[in-house]
Amino acid sequence: MVVVGGGYGGVTVAKYLKKENPNLDVVLIEERPFFMSCPMSNHFLAGLMELTPLCFSYNVLEVKHGIRVLNDKVLGVELDKKVVRTSSGYISYDYLVLSPGIDYDVEDYPFYRDSLVYNPPAFRPGSEHIYLKKLIEDFEGGDIVITVPSPPYRCPPAPYERAALLASMIKRNKIKAHIYFIDANERPLINSEGFLSAYHDLYKDVATYITSAHVRDIDVHKKLVKTSHGDFKYDLANIIPPMRANKLLQDAGLLKKGQKWVEVNPFTFETSVKNVFVIGDASQSYLPKSGYAAHSEGKLVAKIINARLKGKEVKEEYMQMICYAMVSDKEAIMTETAFRYDAVSKRFIPTHREDNQRKEGTAKRYEEWARGLWRDLFG
Amino acid sequence: MDRRDFIKTCGTVAVASMLDASIFSNLLASQQDGMLKTYKKALLVKEDGSPIKEGDIKPHNNYIFFYPFASTPCYLLNLDQEIKPVEIKLKDGLGYLWPGGVGSKKSIVAYSAICAHQWSYPTKDYSFINYYPPDKPSETTKKAGIIQCCAHLGVYDPKEGAKVLDGPPEVPLASIVLQEENGQFYAVGVLGKDQFDQFFDNYKADLRQQYGSTAKAKELVEKCIVMEVDKYVKSVIRC
């Protein structure tokens, strides 16, 4: 078993493969030396949480669960030869689970390229968050621009939460600043009512929410964002670019021309290549792109592979999603989404149960939600 | 038979002798699946130390006690109706017969309060997993008469051996085997897939802080003080 990518999906599938079948030889390949959680990272950016609780050592997986963790860069996947090419050699596999996450789509939107360095999006875990946090801490006042791309992108509520938490931080620290929150969408993609009422009730004096506005260009030297709704100068910016599946998947031949996400069987997450699975944000499925979804997919795929090894099939499972988002330092809102499959339209139909009333109790649940996931991944 | 197995078997017989004969045989069968673990027989007492009586367990109140270890929380519920035995089938093919309620109305049940999904449990500060009585349904799932964990919305049915009704848990809450003897209640074992290993593994630091050492947190109890959850927990988080 080879698993590529040590995020929520990759760690989960590796752990559950081994948990259900300790005799399996499971190799997890991850370039980063340690795991950092994107869920809850807005807490870190807004000064509500240290970085440490978000970070975990992959060593735990090796010591406690017997997973071989290879801290290495994957250079390519040769599906015909069933090998993964890394900087230290080839690894062959019988089953392959790819969970490499996203890339920023600078091929189709090249004007974002420079901005990635100057204005870290902080939608990939690690140094981007640390640098953005430094920029936020160094910010002494002026204009802040935050932009949101059209979906699909990683973690739909995250930009809206980030805008609310930065607005909250400005008020808390009495910084003379104004946020221009520029959204390519007509409204927040999830918990719209909860976010909009928070923006109106809590932040209308420090933030302006501009909808259906698309970024056209970014001049990092003049600190200017050009949009379909005019130009915005900034002193601090968090420009979130459009996203696509990690380029590794394109190089492996799993993306057809023009595709940005890998097509998978929605019930199994298997690609068109037998025993090769793509989970997490890189796949195109009925689930939103999030750590929680990747974790659920990881569990399912581990179950499917272990069943196949025993010559069995797994009963179809529809996953459920739970998303939380802070709207102030202490309060959060949430959504639970259940899915059913409509055999006629061959589509998954979501049913959202949103709790848009901001509450401190929901913020506590949010923290416990994340801690539960971390316990499951690294406990 | 080694000493451990002997003690285990004696424990099982002690439990089973208080139960209906068919339940006894089924419990023995469930033990073969490794689903019944007997521990020290522990008397359930009130906060003043006197044995708790049936009348003290008010219908639909959420009570907490710790069993079989000093740190492992359980919920005690009087569901105010006869709770019949239920056969529990697990996804891995194993199963057991849950013996139902105890007490004159067979309405009293107890379950481990460690969520079988990702091990949320009631601490002195917060409880995310709680019982929702029939007149106070969950705002989120609209379900009542359930045990629900608000972290990931796992929903269990206390009338049916804490079977999973909704959400991500794969297995029911483990149930605490209760025994009534001369009007007093005892906890005698744990039935189902307990989560104790994961609990002790995940909460080492928290348990050391609260109990002084892991060993103390793992001490088997001989008496269980029963109190209302609202008294034990500062902030009961409902959803």
Side-chain angles (χ1 to χ4, degrees), chain A residues 64 292 295 299 303 320 322 324 336 353 359 361 364-365 368-369 372-373 375-376 379, chain B residues 117-120 126 128 139-141 150-153 166-168 170 201-203 237 239:
Chain A
K64 281 174 86 169
Y292 188 84
H295 173 65
K299 277 189 177 178
K303 219 182 273 183
Q320 156 241 36
I322 298 179
Y324 292 88
E336 189 222 352
R353 286 193 296 212
K359 293 175 216 151
K364 296 292 175 199
R365 288 170 60 197
E368 181 61 14
W369 167 88
L373 288 171
R375 286 192 292 270
D376 209 348
Chain B
H117 175 226
Q118 290 175 344
W119 315 294
S120 289
Y126 301 105
F128 296 94
E139 282 177 20
T140 312
T141 62
C150 286
H152 305 94
L153 294 178
D166 206 356
E170 296 270 330
D201 195 32
N202 276 295
Y203 295 111
I237 307 279
C239 58

mmCIF file of all heavy atoms in Angstrom, chain A residues 64 292 295 299 303 320 322 324 336 353 359 361 364-365 368-369 372-373 375-376 379, chain B residues 117-120 126 128 139-141 150-153 166-168 170 201-203 237 239:
data_model
loop_
_atom_site.group_PDB
_atom_site.id
_atom_site.type_symbol
_atom_site.label_atom_id
_atom_site.label_comp_id
_atom_site.label_asym_id
_atom_site.label_seq_id
_atom_site.Cartn_x
_atom_site.Cartn_y
_atom_site.Cartn_z
ATOM 1 N N LYS A 64 3.595 4.093 16.658
ATOM 2 C CA LYS A 64 2.400 3.480 17.250
ATOM 3 C C LYS A 64 1.672 2.528 16.313
ATOM 4 O O LYS A 64 1.025 1.593 16.764
ATOM 5 C CB LYS A 64 1.409 4.573 17.688
ATOM 6 C CG LYS A 64 1.798 5.213 19.003
ATOM 7 C CD LYS A 64 0.918 6.361 19.328
ATOM 8 C CE LYS A 64 -0.323 5.988 20.039
ATOM 9 N NZ LYS A 64 -1.017 7.182 20.568
ATOM 10 N N TYR A 292 -12.215 17.580 6.865
ATOM 11 C CA TYR A 292 -13.181 16.627 7.419
ATOM 12 C C TYR A 292 -13.617 15.624 6.335
ATOM 13 O O TYR A 292 -13.702 14.423 6.581
ATOM 14 C CB TYR A 292 -14.402 17.373 7.969
ATOM 15 C CG TYR A 292 -15.353 16.479 8.726
ATOM 16 C CD1 TYR A 292 -15.121 16.183 10.062
ATOM 17 C CD2 TYR A 292 -16.482 15.939 8.126
ATOM 18 C CE1 TYR A 292 -15.992 15.359 10.767
ATOM 19 C CE2 TYR A 292 -17.356 15.117 8.818
ATOM 20 C CZ TYR A 292 -17.106 14.832 10.140
ATOM 21 O OH TYR A 292 -17.972 14.014 10.846
ATOM 22 N N HIS A 295 -10.830 13.216 5.573
ATOM 23 C CA HIS A 295 -10.746 12.238 6.658
ATOM 24 C C HIS A 295 -11.799 11.135 6.462
ATOM 25 O O HIS A 295 -11.494 9.945 6.557
ATOM 26 C CB HIS A 295 -10.971 12.989 7.979
ATOM 27 C CG HIS A 295 -11.074 12.120 9.181
ATOM 28 N ND1 HIS A 295 -10.032 11.361 9.647
ATOM 29 C CD2 HIS A 295 -12.103 11.882 10.032
ATOM 30 C CE1 HIS A 295 -10.414 10.703 10.728
ATOM 31 N NE2 HIS A 295 -11.668 10.994 10.976
ATOM 32 N N LYS A 299 -11.184 7.056 5.548
ATOM 33 C CA LYS A 299 -11.736 5.895 6.277
ATOM 34 C C LYS A 299 -12.429 4.943 5.308
ATOM 35 O O LYS A 299 -12.295 3.725 5.407
ATOM 36 C CB LYS A 299 -12.752 6.380 7.327
ATOM 37 C CG LYS A 299 -12.113 6.838 8.610
ATOM 38 C CD LYS A 299 -13.203 7.083 9.649
ATOM 39 C CE LYS A 299 -12.599 7.477 10.972
ATOM 40 N NZ LYS A 299 -13.598 7.761 12.000
ATOM 41 N N LYS A 303 -11.431 1.045 4.191
ATOM 42 C CA LYS A 303 -12.409 -0.040 4.330
ATOM 43 C C LYS A 303 -12.544 -0.807 2.996
ATOM 44 O O LYS A 303 -12.587 -2.039 2.977
ATOM 45 C CB LYS A 303 -13.766 0.592 4.693
ATOM 46 C CG LYS A 303 -14.563 -0.205 5.698
ATOM 47 C CD LYS A 303 -15.894 0.451 5.956
ATOM 48 C CE LYS A 303 -15.851 1.509 7.032
ATOM 49 N NZ LYS A 303 -17.169 2.092 7.308
ATOM 50 N N GLN A 320 -21.332 12.261 5.670
ATOM 51 C CA GLN A 320 -21.981 13.444 6.222
ATOM 52 C C GLN A 320 -20.864 14.465 6.466
ATOM 53 O O GLN A 320 -19.719 14.089 6.686
ATOM 54 C CB GLN A 320 -22.672 12.995 7.526
ATOM 55 C CG GLN A 320 -22.937 14.028 8.561
ATOM 56 C CD GLN A 320 -22.223 13.719 9.870
ATOM 57 O OE1 GLN A 320 -21.115 13.209 9.908
ATOM 58 N NE2 GLN A 320 -22.850 14.080 10.968
ATOM 59 N N ILE A 322 -19.591 18.084 8.425
ATOM 60 C CA ILE A 322 -19.834 19.084 9.464
ATOM 61 C C ILE A 322 -18.778 20.168 9.322
ATOM 62 O O ILE A 322 -17.587 19.872 9.274
ATOM 63 C CB ILE A 322 -19.760 18.479 10.875
ATOM 64 C CG1 ILE A 322 -20.840 17.418 11.038
ATOM 65 C CG2 ILE A 322 -19.947 19.557 11.933
ATOM 66 C CD1 ILE A 322 -20.840 16.753 12.382
ATOM 67 N N TYR A 324 -17.633 24.047 10.792
ATOM 68 C CA TYR A 324 -17.796 25.132 11.757
ATOM 69 C C TYR A 324 -17.039 26.352 11.247
ATOM 70 O O TYR A 324 -16.070 26.225 10.500
ATOM 71 C CB TYR A 324 -17.203 24.746 13.111
ATOM 72 C CG TYR A 324 -17.943 23.655 13.841
ATOM 73 C CD1 TYR A 324 -17.638 22.322 13.633
ATOM 74 C CD2 TYR A 324 -18.937 23.964 14.766
ATOM 75 C CE1 TYR A 324 -18.296 21.309 14.319
ATOM 76 C CE2 TYR A 324 -19.606 22.961 15.452
ATOM 77 C CZ TYR A 324 -19.280 21.637 15.232
ATOM 78 O OH TYR A 324 -19.944 20.649 15.914
ATOM 79 N N GLU A 336 -24.362 21.258 9.118
ATOM 80 C CA GLU A 336 -24.230 19.821 8.917
ATOM 81 C C GLU A 336 -24.897 19.503 7.582
ATOM 82 O O GLU A 336 -25.980 20.007 7.294
ATOM 83 C CB GLU A 336 -24.950 19.062 10.041
ATOM 84 C CG GLU A 336 -24.653 17.588 10.005
ATOM 85 C CD GLU A 336 -25.864 16.727 10.259
ATOM 86 O OE1 GLU A 336 -26.923 17.262 10.618
ATOM 87 O OE2 GLU A 336 -25.756 15.515 10.055
ATOM 88 N N ARG A 353 -28.190 21.513 7.141
ATOM 89 C CA ARG A 353 -28.812 21.978 8.380
ATOM 90 C C ARG A 353 -27.865 23.021 8.958
ATOM 91 O O ARG A 353 -26.847 22.683 9.557
ATOM 92 C CB ARG A 353 -29.003 20.823 9.364
ATOM 93 C CG ARG A 353 -30.132 19.895 8.978
ATOM 94 C CD ARG A 353 -30.518 18.954 10.082
ATOM 95 N NE ARG A 353 -29.449 18.042 10.433
ATOM 96 C CZ ARG A 353 -29.645 16.799 10.860
ATOM 97 N NH1 ARG A 353 -30.863 16.321 10.985
ATOM 98 N NH2 ARG A 353 -28.638 16.020 11.184
ATOM 99 N N LYS A 359 -22.833 31.511 18.462
ATOM 100 C CA LYS A 359 -22.877 31.118 19.871
ATOM 101 C C LYS A 359 -21.485 30.746 20.352
ATOM 102 O O LYS A 359 -20.685 30.197 19.578
ATOM 103 C CB LYS A 359 -23.761 29.876 20.046
ATOM 104 C CG LYS A 359 -25.222 30.076 19.765
ATOM 105 C CD LYS A 359 -25.942 28.727 19.868
ATOM 106 C CE LYS A 359 -27.046 28.633 18.845
ATOM 107 N NZ LYS A 359 -27.347 27.329 18.388
ATOM 108 N N GLY A 361 -21.083 28.430 22.581
ATOM 109 C CA GLY A 361 -21.117 26.961 22.662
ATOM 110 C C GLY A 361 -20.694 26.317 21.344
ATOM 111 O O GLY A 361 -20.012 25.293 21.333
ATOM 112 N N LYS A 364 -17.006 26.317 21.086
ATOM 113 C CA LYS A 364 -16.414 25.221 21.876
ATOM 114 C C LYS A 364 -16.537 23.898 21.125
ATOM 115 O O LYS A 364 -15.638 23.060 21.148
ATOM 116 C CB LYS A 364 -17.117 25.108 23.243
ATOM 117 C CG LYS A 364 -16.934 26.322 24.141
ATOM 118 C CD LYS A 364 -15.499 26.436 24.587
ATOM 119 C CE LYS A 364 -15.267 27.698 25.389
ATOM 120 N NZ LYS A 364 -13.845 28.064 25.451
ATOM 121 N N ARG A 365 -17.698 23.710 20.493
ATOM 122 C CA ARG A 365 -17.891 22.484 19.711
ATOM 123 C C ARG A 365 -16.889 22.418 18.559
ATOM 124 O O ARG A 365 -16.379 21.347 18.231
ATOM 125 C CB ARG A 365 -19.310 22.457 19.133
ATOM 126 C CG ARG A 365 -20.374 22.193 20.158
ATOM 127 C CD ARG A 365 -21.754 22.416 19.563
ATOM 128 N NE ARG A 365 -22.024 21.563 18.427
ATOM 129 C CZ ARG A 365 -22.998 21.766 17.548
ATOM 130 N NH1 ARG A 365 -23.800 22.812 17.681
ATOM 131 N NH2 ARG A 365 -23.199 20.941 16.559
ATOM 132 N N GLU A 368 -13.669 21.186 19.833
ATOM 133 C CA GLU A 368 -13.739 19.753 20.137
ATOM 134 C C GLU A 368 -13.817 18.933 18.837
ATOM 135 O O GLU A 368 -13.249 17.838 18.750
ATOM 136 C CB GLU A 368 -14.953 19.470 21.032
ATOM 137 C CG GLU A 368 -15.125 18.022 21.445
ATOM 138 C CD GLU A 368 -13.963 17.458 22.257
ATOM 139 O OE1 GLU A 368 -13.124 18.246 22.743
ATOM 140 O OE2 GLU A 368 -13.897 16.224 22.403
ATOM 141 N N TRP A 369 -14.507 19.483 17.853
ATOM 142 C CA TRP A 369 -14.580 18.844 16.524
ATOM 143 C C TRP A 369 -13.163 18.625 15.979
ATOM 144 O O TRP A 369 -12.815 17.542 15.519
ATOM 145 C CB TRP A 369 -15.391 19.762 15.615
ATOM 146 C CG TRP A 369 -15.365 19.496 14.145
ATOM 147 C CD1 TRP A 369 -16.191 18.658 13.451
ATOM 148 C CD2 TRP A 369 -14.505 20.102 13.171
ATOM 149 N NE1 TRP A 369 -15.895 18.708 12.105
ATOM 150 C CE2 TRP A 369 -14.873 19.577 11.901
ATOM 151 C CE3 TRP A 369 -13.477 21.040 13.230
ATOM 152 C CZ2 TRP A 369 -14.229 19.952 10.723
ATOM 153 C CZ3 TRP A 369 -12.836 21.407 12.049
ATOM 154 C CH2 TRP A 369 -13.211 20.868 10.821
ATOM 155 N N GLY A 372 -11.093 16.176 18.127
ATOM 156 C CA GLY A 372 -11.509 14.801 17.846
ATOM 157 C C GLY A 372 -10.823 14.256 16.593
ATOM 158 O O GLY A 372 -10.324 13.134 16.576
ATOM 159 N N LEU A 373 -10.788 15.086 15.557
ATOM 160 C CA LEU A 373 -10.119 14.670 14.324
ATOM 161 C C LEU A 373 -8.639 14.398 14.582
ATOM 162 O O LEU A 373 -8.086 13.401 14.117
ATOM 163 C CB LEU A 373 -10.257 15.758 13.255
ATOM 164 C CG LEU A 373 -11.648 15.932 12.642
ATOM 165 C CD1 LEU A 373 -11.696 17.185 11.778
ATOM 166 C CD2 LEU A 373 -12.020 14.728 11.799
ATOM 167 N N ARG A 375 -7.243 13.571 17.363
ATOM 168 C CA ARG A 375 -7.104 12.336 18.157
ATOM 169 C C ARG A 375 -7.180 11.116 17.238
ATOM 170 O O ARG A 375 -6.441 10.154 17.398
ATOM 171 C CB ARG A 375 -8.220 12.244 19.211
ATOM 172 C CG ARG A 375 -8.054 13.171 20.397
ATOM 173 C CD ARG A 375 -9.012 12.810 21.515
ATOM 174 N NE ARG A 375 -10.405 13.057 21.225
ATOM 175 C CZ ARG A 375 -11.048 14.195 21.485
ATOM 176 N NH1 ARG A 375 -10.413 15.206 22.046
ATOM 177 N NH2 ARG A 375 -12.322 14.334 21.208
ATOM 178 N N ASP A 376 -8.112 11.207 16.288
ATOM 179 C CA ASP A 376 -8.299 10.089 15.371
ATOM 180 C C ASP A 376 -7.081 9.922 14.458
ATOM 181 O O ASP A 376 -6.659 8.803 14.158
ATOM 182 C CB ASP A 376 -9.559 10.329 14.522
ATOM 183 C CG ASP A 376 -10.222 9.035 14.094
ATOM 184 O OD1 ASP A 376 -9.597 7.975 14.251
ATOM 185 O OD2 ASP A 376 -11.347 9.092 13.588
ATOM 186 N N GLY A 379 -3.743 9.880 17.404
ATOM 187 C CA GLY A 379 -3.851 9.248 18.716
ATOM 188 C C GLY A 379 -3.486 7.776 18.658
ATOM 189 O O GLY A 379 -3.270 7.217 17.598
ATOM 190 N N HIS B 117 -16.996 7.633 18.605
ATOM 191 C CA HIS B 117 -16.443 8.155 17.357
ATOM 192 C C HIS B 117 -15.023 8.678 17.574
ATOM 193 O O HIS B 117 -14.058 8.035 17.194
ATOM 194 C CB HIS B 117 -17.371 9.241 16.810
ATOM 195 C CG HIS B 117 -16.837 9.925 15.594
ATOM 196 N ND1 HIS B 117 -16.870 11.291 15.455
ATOM 197 C CD2 HIS B 117 -16.254 9.441 14.477
ATOM 198 C CE1 HIS B 117 -16.340 11.610 14.285
ATOM 199 N NE2 HIS B 117 -15.947 10.504 13.670
ATOM 200 N N GLN B 118 -14.919 9.816 18.251
ATOM 201 C CA GLN B 118 -13.572 10.374 18.471
ATOM 202 C C GLN B 118 -13.356 10.743 19.937
ATOM 203 O O GLN B 118 -12.618 11.660 20.260
ATOM 204 C CB GLN B 118 -13.319 11.543 17.522
ATOM 205 C CG GLN B 118 -13.170 11.049 16.074
ATOM 206 C CD GLN B 118 -13.041 12.122 15.037
ATOM 207 O OE1 GLN B 118 -13.338 13.284 15.271
ATOM 208 N NE2 GLN B 118 -12.614 11.742 13.843
ATOM 209 N N TRP B 119 -14.060 10.013 20.804
ATOM 210 C CA TRP B 119 -13.755 9.960 22.232
ATOM 211 C C TRP B 119 -13.983 11.253 23.017
ATOM 212 O O TRP B 119 -13.327 11.484 24.039
ATOM 213 C CB TRP B 119 -12.314 9.424 22.438
ATOM 214 C CG TRP B 119 -12.100 8.234 21.569
ATOM 215 C CD1 TRP B 119 -12.713 7.032 21.677
ATOM 216 C CD2 TRP B 119 -11.274 8.148 20.399
ATOM 217 N NE1 TRP B 119 -12.322 6.197 20.661
ATOM 218 C CE2 TRP B 119 -11.438 6.858 19.864
ATOM 219 C CE3 TRP B 119 -10.413 9.049 19.759
ATOM 220 C CZ2 TRP B 119 -10.784 6.444 18.715
ATOM 221 C CZ3 TRP B 119 -9.751 8.627 18.618
ATOM 222 C CH2 TRP B 119 -9.937 7.348 18.101
ATOM 223 N N SER B 120 -14.888 12.091 22.567
ATOM 224 C CA SER B 120 -15.302 13.215 23.409
ATOM 225 C C SER B 120 -15.923 12.641 24.667
ATOM 226 O O SER B 120 -16.614 11.616 24.614
ATOM 227 C CB SER B 120 -16.348 14.076 22.693
ATOM 228 O OG SER B 120 -15.754 14.776 21.650
ATOM 229 N N TYR B 126 -16.504 20.942 30.301
ATOM 230 C CA TYR B 126 -17.480 20.847 29.210
ATOM 231 C C TYR B 126 -17.975 19.419 29.044
ATOM 232 O O TYR B 126 -17.232 18.475 29.272
ATOM 233 C CB TYR B 126 -16.836 21.244 27.863
ATOM 234 C CG TYR B 126 -16.279 22.633 27.841
ATOM 235 C CD1 TYR B 126 -14.920 22.854 27.914
ATOM 236 C CD2 TYR B 126 -17.137 23.729 27.746
ATOM 237 C CE1 TYR B 126 -14.399 24.137 27.904
ATOM 238 C CE2 TYR B 126 -16.632 25.010 27.730
ATOM 239 C CZ TYR B 126 -15.259 25.210 27.809
ATOM 240 O OH TYR B 126 -14.761 26.473 27.796
ATOM 241 N N PHE B 128 -19.775 17.617 25.758
ATOM 242 C CA PHE B 128 -20.332 17.729 24.405
ATOM 243 C C PHE B 128 -21.287 16.571 24.132
ATOM 244 O O PHE B 128 -22.123 16.646 23.259
ATOM 245 C CB PHE B 128 -19.197 17.740 23.370
ATOM 246 C CG PHE B 128 -18.304 18.936 23.507
ATOM 247 C CD1 PHE B 128 -17.144 18.884 24.265
ATOM 248 C CD2 PHE B 128 -18.650 20.138 22.919
ATOM 249 C CE1 PHE B 128 -16.329 19.991 24.413
ATOM 250 C CE2 PHE B 128 -17.852 21.259 23.063
ATOM 251 C CZ PHE B 128 -16.685 21.181 23.819
ATOM 252 N N GLU B 139 -31.639 20.772 19.076
ATOM 253 C CA GLU B 139 -31.966 21.837 18.109
ATOM 254 C C GLU B 139 -31.446 21.474 16.718
ATOM 255 O O GLU B 139 -32.024 21.872 15.712
ATOM 256 C CB GLU B 139 -31.300 23.151 18.538
ATOM 257 C CG GLU B 139 -32.014 23.861 19.663
ATOM 258 C CD GLU B 139 -31.271 25.118 20.084
ATOM 259 O OE1 GLU B 139 -30.447 25.638 19.309
ATOM 260 O OE2 GLU B 139 -31.512 25.564 21.221
ATOM 261 N N THR B 140 -30.359 20.735 16.682
ATOM 262 C CA THR B 140 -29.735 20.440 15.388
ATOM 263 C C THR B 140 -30.389 19.248 14.706
ATOM 264 O O THR B 140 -30.818 19.345 13.563
ATOM 265 C CB THR B 140 -28.227 20.148 15.574
ATOM 266 O OG1 THR B 140 -27.679 21.164 16.394
ATOM 267 C CG2 THR B 140 -27.504 20.103 14.251
ATOM 268 N N THR B 141 -30.468 18.126 15.414
ATOM 269 C CA THR B 141 -30.989 16.919 14.764
ATOM 270 C C THR B 141 -32.493 16.735 15.003
ATOM 271 O O THR B 141 -33.104 15.863 14.384
ATOM 272 C CB THR B 141 -30.263 15.663 15.275
ATOM 273 O OG1 THR B 141 -30.501 15.545 16.686
ATOM 274 C CG2 THR B 141 -28.762 15.745 15.027
ATOM 275 N N CYS B 150 -22.143 16.504 20.393
ATOM 276 C CA CYS B 150 -22.250 17.715 19.570
ATOM 277 C C CYS B 150 -21.010 17.984 18.728
ATOM 278 O O CYS B 150 -21.052 18.843 17.853
ATOM 279 C CB CYS B 150 -22.515 18.928 20.459
ATOM 280 S SG CYS B 150 -24.183 18.957 21.073
ATOM 281 N N ALA B 151 -19.908 17.294 18.981
ATOM 282 C CA ALA B 151 -18.700 17.595 18.208
ATOM 283 C C ALA B 151 -18.883 17.186 16.745
ATOM 284 O O ALA B 151 -18.596 17.958 15.832
ATOM 285 C CB ALA B 151 -17.502 16.889 18.819
ATOM 286 N N HIS B 152 -19.375 15.960 16.524
ATOM 287 C CA HIS B 152 -19.540 15.487 15.143
ATOM 288 C C HIS B 152 -20.936 14.927 14.899
ATOM 289 O O HIS B 152 -21.172 14.220 13.916
ATOM 290 C CB HIS B 152 -18.494 14.417 14.819
ATOM 291 C CG HIS B 152 -17.093 14.874 15.068
ATOM 292 N ND1 HIS B 152 -16.440 14.640 16.246
ATOM 293 C CD2 HIS B 152 -16.245 15.597 14.315
ATOM 294 C CE1 HIS B 152 -15.238 15.179 16.199
ATOM 295 N NE2 HIS B 152 -15.092 15.773 15.039
ATOM 296 N N LEU B 153 -21.836 15.200 15.838
ATOM 297 C CA LEU B 153 -23.248 14.814 15.722
ATOM 298 C C LEU B 153 -23.461 13.298 15.609
ATOM 299 O O LEU B 153 -24.248 12.829 14.786
ATOM 300 C CB LEU B 153 -23.927 15.553 14.570
ATOM 301 C CG LEU B 153 -24.028 17.073 14.784
ATOM 302 C CD1 LEU B 153 -24.677 17.740 13.588
ATOM 303 C CD2 LEU B 153 -24.817 17.416 16.042
ATOM 304 N N ASP B 166 -27.487 7.948 14.064
ATOM 305 C CA ASP B 166 -27.109 8.926 13.048
ATOM 306 C C ASP B 166 -25.666 9.354 13.289
ATOM 307 O O ASP B 166 -25.158 9.219 14.405
ATOM 308 C CB ASP B 166 -28.039 10.152 13.175
ATOM 309 C CG ASP B 166 -28.167 10.904 11.856
ATOM 310 O OD1 ASP B 166 -27.486 10.524 10.892
ATOM 311 O OD2 ASP B 166 -28.942 11.875 11.799
ATOM 312 N N GLY B 167 -25.058 9.865 12.244
ATOM 313 C CA GLY B 167 -23.720 10.428 12.397
ATOM 314 C C GLY B 167 -22.609 9.412 12.192
ATOM 315 O O GLY B 167 -22.850 8.278 11.777
ATOM 316 N N PRO B 168 -21.387 9.847 12.478
ATOM 317 C CA PRO B 168 -20.232 9.043 12.063
ATOM 318 C C PRO B 168 -19.804 7.879 12.956
ATOM 319 O O PRO B 168 -18.966 7.098 12.519
ATOM 320 C CB PRO B 168 -19.105 10.083 12.005
ATOM 321 C CG PRO B 168 -19.505 11.149 12.966
ATOM 322 C CD PRO B 168 -20.998 11.178 12.977
ATOM 323 N N GLU B 170 -19.118 4.354 14.388
ATOM 324 C CA GLU B 170 -19.232 3.039 13.737
ATOM 325 C C GLU B 170 -19.836 2.001 14.678
ATOM 326 O O GLU B 170 -20.324 0.969 14.233
ATOM 327 C CB GLU B 170 -17.839 2.560 13.291
ATOM 328 C CG GLU B 170 -17.187 3.430 12.230
ATOM 329 C CD GLU B 170 -17.534 2.984 10.827
ATOM 330 O OE1 GLU B 170 -17.763 1.797 10.618
ATOM 331 O OE2 GLU B 170 -17.584 3.853 9.935
ATOM 332 N N ASP B 201 -5.088 6.564 26.011
ATOM 333 C CA ASP B 201 -3.999 6.945 25.122
ATOM 334 C C ASP B 201 -4.084 8.424 24.733
ATOM 335 O O ASP B 201 -3.084 9.134 24.702
ATOM 336 C CB ASP B 201 -4.087 6.063 23.868
ATOM 337 C CG ASP B 201 -2.818 6.115 23.063
ATOM 338 O OD1 ASP B 201 -1.744 6.265 23.671
ATOM 339 O OD2 ASP B 201 -2.890 6.013 21.822
ATOM 340 N N ASN B 202 -5.301 8.872 24.462
ATOM 341 C CA ASN B 202 -5.469 10.234 23.965
ATOM 342 C C ASN B 202 -5.455 11.305 25.044
ATOM 343 O O ASN B 202 -5.203 12.473 24.752
ATOM 344 C CB ASN B 202 -6.783 10.344 23.185
ATOM 345 C CG ASN B 202 -6.624 9.896 21.750
ATOM 346 O OD1 ASN B 202 -5.898 10.511 20.986
ATOM 347 N ND2 ASN B 202 -7.268 8.806 21.389
ATOM 348 N N TYR B 203 -5.801 10.928 26.238
ATOM 349 C CA TYR B 203 -5.971 11.960 27.271
ATOM 350 C C TYR B 203 -4.940 11.863 28.383
ATOM 351 O O TYR B 203 -5.218 12.280 29.507
ATOM 352 C CB TYR B 203 -7.388 11.876 27.845
ATOM 353 C CG TYR B 203 -8.470 12.195 26.839
ATOM 354 C CD1 TYR B 203 -9.330 11.211 26.377
ATOM 355 C CD2 TYR B 203 -8.631 13.487 26.338
ATOM 356 C CE1 TYR B 203 -10.327 11.494 25.455
ATOM 357 C CE2 TYR B 203 -9.616 13.780 25.412
ATOM 358 C CZ TYR B 203 -10.467 12.778 24.976
ATOM 359 O OH TYR B 203 -11.440 13.071 24.055
ATOM 360 N N ILE B 237 -22.742 21.506 26.938
ATOM 361 C CA ILE B 237 -22.936 22.036 25.579
ATOM 362 C C ILE B 237 -23.982 21.185 24.873
ATOM 363 O O ILE B 237 -23.761 20.010 24.585
ATOM 364 C CB ILE B 237 -21.616 22.004 24.776
ATOM 365 C CG1 ILE B 237 -20.489 22.702 25.544
ATOM 366 C CG2 ILE B 237 -21.815 22.557 23.375
ATOM 367 C CD1 ILE B 237 -20.445 24.182 25.471
ATOM 368 N N CYS B 239 -26.838 20.959 21.578
ATOM 369 C CA CYS B 239 -26.887 21.490 20.214
ATOM 370 C C CYS B 239 -28.133 20.971 19.499
ATOM 371 O O CYS B 239 -28.793 20.079 19.978
ATOM 372 C CB CYS B 239 -25.643 21.075 19.435
ATOM 373 S SG CYS B 239 -25.404 19.308 19.321
#
